[in-house]
């Protein structure tokens, strides 16, 4: 149900101290709590409801914590795990999971997590499955001052003491891989979006401190992008928190309300930043509409990728829409089905050798176009809204 996560990040030593308290509510009788936690970490202590547990096991990163008193359906328990170590380092973030320890152009540490490929357990104990979403996550991220930690959801405050800053962030119903750490010498650009649905919400962009001019140009794309999504799909799903973007030392990732952006401010041949738009599309298709199994990941990536040609049609008409689709069609491999019909590991789904790989993006997008042509705009967009919001007339 709840996750309260305390992290102390030491960039100089590439080290993480973690203190996680997870609240579980049983849906059926259970005699043990099971979470995923990477074996890179040394576990200092484990507690259930304040009582120490010593007979826990964590073979292959699958931690089992026996309960002194079994839980009946509806019962709750708090699991606290204190741990530390050097998190797994990503070799090709964001295509493989792990931490990126980088240096900003101005010399300061620049740190990001990108864990979709390998899972949330790379830095916090979690249920590493699409259906393992907690109802609320609090993050308390301690970093060397004057670094900034940009996080998921709403900023709850920052405390500074003895050369360290602790940032508190709170978010609701996040994908487990959407919880992220983003640390650097950031400056903040912000504005207010006035929605066609009558509400307003903050738009925020944390960018490196030497990139103000480019950041302002990218920030100018936020409003028309939101106009497109709210008109064509529906209301922004996380308007009670924020529309957030943070500059990262890897290409990008759909971290809920704090999308990672590392496209170096490059515009596509169509004159806009496709990476910004694609990752933002996942706020609808991924963070709001979430797969039940990794085998259904094409719903995230196919719908997310279809939003790029659809954006061009909305902005400039049919010619650029069809040109964009034709470019996508040229990338298809067709070696593996987009959906296998069996439970899959995420790393296999994204592999071009073991699974559909890039076809979940581009073939998925073309499937959407085909469906739209077959059933017509009204039925297509009604079905899309039904999948995202559970109703065809969201407001």
């Amino acid at each position: 149900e709840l996750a309260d996560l305390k992290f102390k990040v030491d960039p100089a030593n590439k080290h993480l101290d973690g203190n996680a308290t997870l609240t579980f509510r049983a849906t059926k009788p259970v005699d043990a709590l099971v979470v995923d936690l990477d074996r890179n970490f040394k576990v200092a202590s484990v507690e259930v409801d304040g009582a120490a547990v010593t007979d826990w096991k964590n073979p292959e990163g699958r931690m089992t914590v026996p309960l002194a008193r079994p839980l009946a359906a509806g019962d709750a328990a708090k699991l606290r795990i204190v741990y530390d170590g050097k998190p797994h380092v990503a070799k090709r973030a964001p295509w493989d999971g792990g931490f990126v320890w980088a240096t900003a152009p101005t010399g300061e540490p620049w740190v990001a997590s990108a864990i979709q490929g390998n899972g949330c357990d790379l830095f916090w104990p979690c249920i590493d499955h699409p259906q393992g979403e907690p109802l609320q996550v609090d993050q308390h991220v301690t970093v060397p001052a004057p670094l900034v930690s940009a996080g998921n959801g709403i900023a709850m405050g920052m405390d500074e003491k003895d050369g360290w800053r602790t940032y508190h962030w709170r978010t609701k119903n996040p994908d487990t891989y959407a919880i992220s750490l983003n640390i650097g010498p950031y400056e903040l650009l912000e504005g207010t979006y006035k929605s066609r649905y009558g509400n307003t919400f903050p738009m925020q962009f944390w960018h490196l401190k030497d990139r103000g001019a480019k950041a302002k140009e990218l920030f100018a794309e936020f409003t028309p992008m939101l106009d497109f999504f709210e008109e064509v799909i529906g209301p922004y799903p996380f308007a009670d928190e924020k529309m957030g973007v943070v500059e990262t030392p890897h290409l990008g990732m759909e971290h809920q309300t704090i999308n990672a952006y590392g496209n170096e401010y490059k515009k596509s041949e169509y004159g806009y930043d496709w990476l910004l738009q694609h990752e933002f599309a996942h706020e609808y298709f991924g963070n709001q509409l979430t797969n039940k199994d990794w085998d259904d990941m094409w719903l995230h990536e196919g719908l997310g990728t279809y939003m790029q040609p659809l954006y061009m049609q909305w902005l400039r008409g049919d010619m650029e829409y069809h040109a964009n689709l034709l470019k996508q069609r040229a990338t298809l491999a067709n070696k593996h089905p987009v959906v296998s019909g069996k439970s899959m590991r995420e790393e296999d789904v994204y592999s071009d050798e073991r699974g559909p790989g890039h076809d979940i993006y581009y073939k998925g997008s073309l499937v959407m176009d085909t469906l739209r042509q077959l059933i017509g705009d009204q039925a297509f967009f009604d079905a899309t809204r039904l999948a995202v919001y559970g109703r065809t007339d969201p407001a």
Side-chain angles (χ1 to χ4, degrees):
E1 284 194 340
L2 306 174
D4 190 279
L5 309 175
K6 295 180 175 67
F7 303 114
K8 186 175 184 179
V9 182
D10 181 359
N13 295 299
K14 299 180 180 178
H15 188 273
L16 177 75
D17 287 284
N19 185 336
T21 300
L22 311 176
T23 302
F24 294 90
R25 188 167 299 278
T27 57
K28 61 182 180 181
V30 294
D31 57 10
L33 300 177
V34 180
V35 294
D36 298 286
L37 181 63
D38 192 64
R39 285 178 56 83
N40 274 27
F41 298 111
K42 178 183 177 182
V43 176
S45 64
V46 177
E47 297 176 358
V48 175
D49 293 331
V53 178
T54 57
D55 55 344
W56 56 270
K57 297 178 180 179
N58 193 29
E60 300 180 0
R62 184 79 166 170
M63 179 180 277
T64 301
V65 181
L67 294 170
R69 179 182 63 83
L71 298 181
D75 288 349
K78 283 189 177 182
L79 170 66
R80 180 171 177 254
I81 302 172
V82 179
Y83 59 98
D84 77 286
K86 292 182 181 291
H88 180 77
V89 174
K91 296 177 181 178
R92 290 181 60 250
W95 292 279
D96 67 332
F99 269 51
V100 181
W101 303 96
T103 302
T106 46
E108 299 90 345
W110 189 18
V111 183
S113 63
I115 58 167
Q116 181 177 355
N118 296 75
C120 46
D121 60 299
L122 290 189
F123 74 104
W124 62 283
C126 62
I127 299 174
D128 184 20
H129 189 274
Q131 292 180 297
E133 291 186 4
L135 298 177
Q136 179 177 294
V137 175
D138 281 84
Q139 291 185 80
H140 309 265
V141 185
T142 301
V143 300
L147 295 180
V148 175
S149 173
N152 305 86
I154 297 173
M156 305 298 290
M158 186 273 283
D159 297 315
E160 187 167 344
K161 183 180 179 181
D162 300 330
W164 294 85
R165 288 179 170 182
T166 299
Y167 293 82
H168 181 190
W169 292 94
R170 175 175 292 165
T171 192
K172 293 181 292 186
N173 299 303
D175 283 348
T176 51
Y177 74 79
I179 293 298
S180 66
L181 295 177
N182 308 282
I183 299 159
Y186 291 127
E187 294 179 348
L188 176 61
L189 268 175
E190 55 187 334
T192 299
Y193 182 73
K194 295 181 180 179
S195 169
R196 67 189 61 241
Y197 294 94
N199 60 315
T200 61
F201 54 87
M203 300 181 296
Q204 298 177 329
F205 178 32
W206 283 265
H207 61 88
L208 294 181
K209 66 183 184 182
D210 65 337
R211 297 183 177 176
K214 290 181 178 178
K216 287 179 181 177
E217 187 176 343
L218 185 70
F219 190 69
E221 293 193 41
F222 284 25
T223 294
M225 191 174 68
L226 275 161
D227 287 345
F228 159 73
F229 277 99
E230 290 217 324
E231 179 180 328
V232 175
I233 306 300
Y236 175 57
F238 307 104
D240 58 342
E241 296 185 358
K242 69 177 182 296
M243 182 268 185
V245 178
V246 61
E247 191 169 359
T248 55
H250 62 86
L251 183 60
M253 182 65 69
E254 61 272 20
H255 298 142
Q256 189 168 306
T257 71
I258 190 68
N259 282 340
Y261 172 84
N263 199 36
E264 295 290 336
Y265 302 94
K266 295 179 291 189
K267 295 185 185 295
S268 74
E269 65 269 43
Y270 300 102
Y272 76 111
D273 198 305
W274 72 269
L275 188 280
L276 176 75
Q277 204 263 9
H278 177 80
E279 300 304 346
F280 183 71
H282 284 310
E283 295 283 34
Y284 292 80
F285 312 110
N287 296 335
Q288 175 70 8
L289 165 66
T290 304
N291 57 3
K292 288 188 175 182
D293 188 89
W294 301 125
D295 192 40
D296 301 312
M297 201 69 187
W298 78 281
L299 289 170
H300 294 209
E301 302 295 9
L303 274 160
T305 302
Y306 184 56
M307 292 302 111
Q308 283 83 75
L310 198 62
Y311 189 38
M312 291 301 93
Q313 186 177 40
W314 182 80
L315 277 174
R316 304 194 192 111
D318 292 348
M319 184 175 289
E320 292 203 24
Y321 172 76
H322 290 296
N324 203 321
L325 285 172
L326 187 62
K327 181 182 176 184
Q328 292 181 359
R329 191 172 190 271
T331 69
L332 300 189
N334 280 323
K335 291 181 179 179
H336 300 273
V338 171
V339 179
S340 71
K342 60 185 179 183
S343 186
M344 293 277 283
R345 298 188 309 167
E346 187 174 14
E347 54 263 43
D348 293 331
V349 171
Y350 277 91
S351 169
D352 289 318
E353 291 77 35
R354 302 185 303 275
H358 282 84
D359 278 3
I360 65 175
Y361 295 83
Y362 303 115
K363 191 171 183 178
S365 174
L366 292 162
V367 166
M368 297 305 166
D369 173 65
T370 301
L371 179 62
R372 182 184 173 195
Q373 306 310 320
L374 283 171
I375 67 177
D377 278 9
Q378 182 70 48
F380 176 80
F381 287 108
D382 277 353
T384 302
R385 295 184 190 106
L386 188 64
V388 173
Y389 303 102
R391 53 189 291 183
T392 60
D393 59 341

